[in-house]
Amino acid sequence: MKKILVTGGAGFVGSHLCERLLNDGNEVICLDNYFTGSKENIVHLLKNPYFEAIRHDITMPFFIEVDEIYNLACPASPVHYQFNPIKTIKTSVMGSINMLGLAKRIKAKILHASTSEVYGDPEVHPQVESYWGNVNPIGSRSCYDEGKRCAESLFVNYHLQNDVNIKIIRIFNTYGPRMHPNDGRVVSNFIVQALKGEDITIFGDGKQTRSFQYVDDLVEGMIRMMNTDDSFIGPVNIGNPGEFNMLELANKVLELTGSKSKLTFLPLPDDDPVKRKPDISLAKKMLNNWSPVIPLEEGLIKTIDYFKENLKK
Ligand code: NAD
Ligand code: UDP
């Protein structure tokens, strides 16, 4: 049985990861300041004696003895990470320094949840790990994008300078049950709007693309990455290469919910990437032939079912 720390464990992805790690027979400690996560996401795990939830902000140091650390703490939706941009940068930078310092001291392996946003508005398509990206360093998304880029640099340098056992994954847009209904990300927005019969908010002309990964596929990829040889540190893309534009996504959600909601067109936010799609050759090669197994329609149906229940509360 391994003792595993998950920062951001009460968030959307973190709660699924905690659940899976417990099911695999590990002891799990979830660290979260509940900024965007909630106790609701982990309440079903609290009865498990091998699960512990601690309220803590990772911008402050934290000490514990564990074997592995998954560093997920950071708001992920543009609406949330732009709410307090300085805090977002602190969470990525100071939070990473605190967790890397901990990993160094206790000799734990540490995996960092980086993002496809390090590629910014990409000029290389699909995105490969060797591409350095196209990020506006002073734009409205920079608190997140540059924070995550700095965190990658911190991880690599703690590895090179202090021999910390690190892993970096670059996560592409992920969706599924336990996304916050007001989180502002496109999949939750469209589903909640469709279920409530409200207008579906398309930003810009809706031709921008994203590649949507169901959360279980991500969790599988994360665990496989943590278990790779120490010599493989990444970064590695974890995402679903299926590429859809926002009009296609909206129409799919309307079809699957049977909703009569209308589309409404709103201005495109600053620096919104035009297209995004992962090249997952490296993940396939290094993560034991990992690739996503849940197609968009199947994942959307599971997520719609979740929101139908959630909206009744
Ligand atoms: P989320 O907002 O649901 O979860 C983030 C969690 O971190 C929340 O529980 C929040 O309360 C917690 N948190 C935030 N700041 C903290 C702090 N200073 N100290 C302690 N806890 C803090 O987002 P998510 O979608 O679950 O994302 C999880 C991680 O994966 C994030 O690091 C995010 O950047 C990364 N990621 C997610 C996606 C995606 O599409 N979901 C894509 C790329 C990267
Ligand atoms: N988007 C949209 N309507 C919404 C929310 C988002 O059209 O209600 C668009 C947004 O402009 C972006 C895409 O959907 O082009 C994905 O947005 P999200 O915030 O989910 O993720 P990110 O931009 O970080 O990839």
Side-chain angles (χ1 to χ4, degrees):
M1 180 183 261
K2 280 186 286 194
K3 215 167 156 186
I4 303 176
L5 180 69
V6 178
T7 78
F12 156 53
V13 175
S15 62
H16 287 274
L17 178 65
C18 288
E19 191 173 307
R20 167 72 191 273
L21 291 170
L22 284 168
N23 287 341
D24 289 351
N26 300 291
E27 185 174 344
V28 176
I29 297 110
C30 158
L31 211 61
D32 207 295
N33 69 352
Y34 302 109
F35 171 45
T36 51
S38 74
K39 287 195 177 159
E40 191 75 4
N41 286 342
I42 50 167
V43 73
H44 61 295
L45 305 177
L46 290 172
K47 55 184 179 298
N48 187 326
Y50 296 106
F51 182 73
E52 217 176 315
I54 301 173
R55 182 189 291 265
H56 180 81
D57 190 310
I58 63 157
T59 59
M60 311 296 276
F62 181 76
F63 299 103
I64 194 170
E65 292 278 337
V66 290
D67 304 302
E68 292 177 354
I69 303 169
Y70 287 85
N71 188 38
L72 274 65
C74 185
S77 143
V79 177
H80 287 150
Y81 69 63
Q82 287 164 4
F83 174 74
N84 184 344
I86 296 171
K87 182 64 196 262
T88 301
I89 300 172
K90 284 185 179 172
T91 296
S92 276
V93 178
M94 292 162 66
S96 292
I97 292 172
N98 287 330
M99 289 305 125
L100 284 160
L102 175 66
K104 176 184 164 189
R105 179 174 163 160
I106 60 174
K107 299 202 179 343
K109 193 168 15 169
I110 180 165
L111 179 145
H112 183 61
S114 188
T115 170
S116 55
E117 301 283 348
V118 300
Y119 301 121
D121 193 3
E123 291 148 325
V124 169
H125 193 74
Q127 290 78 57
V128 277
E129 289 85 351
S130 54
Y131 175 51
W132 292 353
N134 177 34
V135 172
N136 174 357
I138 56 167
S140 57
R141 298 172 78 99
S142 68
C143 58
Y144 183 72
D145 303 5
E146 297 290 15
K148 289 282 186 179
R149 287 169 67 96
C150 181
E152 287 200 11
S153 174
L154 282 164
F155 269 73
V156 166
N157 285 299
Y158 266 79
H159 173 69
L160 296 174
Q161 201 175 322
N162 296 132
D163 214 19
V164 176
N165 194 349
I166 66 145
K167 309 275 177 195
I168 300 171
I169 58 168
R170 293 183 177 154
I171 304 170
F172 284 66
N173 296 61
T174 302
Y175 68 98
R178 303 201 199 117
M179 291 184 90
H180 196 287
N182 301 323
D183 147 316
R185 281 181 276 189
V186 70
V187 175
S188 44
N189 268 12
F190 285 4
I191 293 178
V192 170
Q193 288 160 348
L195 291 175
K196 287 184 169 172
E198 295 170 356
D199 286 353
I200 306 273
T201 53
I202 308 274
F203 297 168
D205 61 7
K207 300 273 175 61
Q208 70 273 34
T209 68
R210 293 291 185 277
S211 299
F212 298 104
Q213 157 175 250
Y214 188 68
V215 63
D216 290 357
D217 285 327
L218 167 60
V219 168
E220 179 63 33
M222 287 178 126
I223 291 173
R224 288 196 195 193
M225 179 59 175
M226 186 60 112
N227 293 326
T228 50
D229 282 355
D230 290 355
S231 59
F232 182 60
I233 64 168
V236 63
N237 291 337
I238 306 281
N240 189 323
E243 186 182 7
F244 299 88
N245 71 36
M246 298 312 113
L247 291 172
E248 289 168 329
L249 178 70
N251 287 323
K252 198 41 98 196
V253 168
L254 288 175
E255 177 197 321
L256 295 174
T257 52
S259 168
K260 299 273 177 299
S261 287
K262 302 269 172 295
L263 305 187
T264 178
F265 290 83
L266 299 175
L268 190 67
D270 286 346
D271 297 335
D272 200 284
V274 175
K275 53 188 182 303
R276 187 183 291 147
K277 170 187 164 112
D279 180 313
I280 59 165
S281 320
L282 185 64
K284 277 188 181 157
K285 182 168 164 224
M286 300 306 294
L287 309 184
N288 208 5
N289 221 14
W290 172 89
S291 67
V293 294
I294 302 179
L296 183 64
E297 182 157 324
E298 187 183 333
L300 284 177
I301 291 170
K302 290 174 196 269
T303 312
I304 290 165
D305 288 346
Y306 166 80
F307 277 113
K308 273 184 188 159
E309 285 307 308
N310 186 276
L311 293 176
K312 281 186 203 154
K313 288 182 188 163

